[in-house]
Amino acid sequence: MSAPADASSGSPPGLRVSVDLNLCQAYAQCCYAAPMHFRIEGHEALFYDPAPAAEHRADIERARVACPVQAIRVEDPGQTA
């Protein structure tokens, strides 16, 4: 899937996405919300992009919000607190 942006390239830094697989129940709502970033293959095996580009934030946030068990965490290292 996508790789983190190089800081020297001038591109915005990517996001960090993690899924708590102990919480995930494979409802696949993230797959419907952001199919370019999440997919289920085989018997409930979730594959996801752990470092999507920052420009995909809306898709990733849509997937995070859609998760009924709140297993998806999104961090933005380029954003200051």
Side-chain angles (χ1 to χ4, degrees):
M1 297 188 137
S2 65
D6 181 356
S8 64
S9 70
S11 299
L15 303 171
R16 279 188 257 175
V17 177
S18 59
V19 178
D20 184 337
L21 297 176
N22 291 315
L23 286 177
C24 179
Q25 297 294 309
Y27 291 119
Q29 296 305 303
C30 58
C31 300
Y32 297 116
M36 297 292 291
H37 304 284
F38 297 87
R39 71 180 187 278
I40 291 187
E41 292 185 6
H43 185 64
E44 299 178 358
L46 178 67
F47 291 87
Y48 65 94
D49 184 355
E55 67 231 25
H56 298 292
R57 185 177 202 45
D59 292 337
I60 300 301
E61 285 295 329
R62 191 168 38 254
R64 183 187 65 77
V65 171
C67 180
V69 296
Q70 300 177 352
I72 300 170
R73 181 178 174 147
V74 180
E75 296 177 41
D76 188 348
Q79 192 175 57
T80 57

